[in-house]
Amino acid sequence: MSPLAARIHAALPQTQCTRCGYPDCAGYAEAIANDEAGIHQCPPGGAEGIARLAAITGRPLQPLGTEFGTEGPRRMAVIDEAWCIGCTLCLDACPTDAILGIHKRMHTVIEPHCTGCELCIPVCPVDCISLEDATPGRSGWQAWSQAQADAALQRYQLHARHRDDGQREAEEAPKPLEPQAADTRKRSIVEAALARARAASQRPPAAKP
């Protein structure tokens, strides 16, 4: 990441919501630094976020692009535990590991870790996740702090490391043999065993003391 991209990245709220059109805040920061994206694409940052980016990049102020969303109170995911089927899809979708649960068991949201990214909503097959306003009357950086942004970034980086480690382990795990290869291997084992048996039967008997 270039020095300019790093400064831009540090000014973003780190909700990792992807509403800007990029896979995460780092991707958006790099796109701005490379003149590939505007400074008006981050709804969680709102008007103050745009002002911060304008000051860093020297670009003129502009309103938040409505195609990316609207500025509003920070929202928090809430799981209706009576309807949750424990599918774990929301666990994979959450960028900050703010959802706690295991397969086929009830899930719940850890409130301080939720950034309101809304990424868990579309993956839930039973629509048991809703959103509640966590900061009524406050939006953008008035509804979010730098300390919360820093914590969210740390959790996102940890989540990404766990995801990458899991993918690497899956790629490195020995793959099951194809049926033909498995049959060939079994045949080789049997033939080797028969050869050892034949060799043993042809050896002269040991002399008696």
Side-chain angles (χ1 to χ4, degrees), residues 174-193:
K175 294 179 173 56
L177 295 172
E178 295 294 330
Q180 185 176 359
D183 290 342
T184 301
R185 185 184 178 194
K186 288 178 182 177
R187 202 159 44 243
S188 298
I189 293 172
V190 170
E191 289 174 355

Side-chain angles (χ1 to χ4, degrees), residues 9 13-14 16 96 148-158:
H9 188 226
Q14 305 301 328
Q16 317 300 340
T96 57
Q148 287 172 307
D150 294 342
L153 176 58
Q154 291 177 358
R155 295 193 62 81
Y156 174 66
Q157 291 173 335
L158 184 62

Side-chain angles (χ1 to χ4, degrees), residues 37-50:
I39 61 172
H40 66 311
Q41 299 177 205
C42 177
E48 183 176 337
I50 294 172

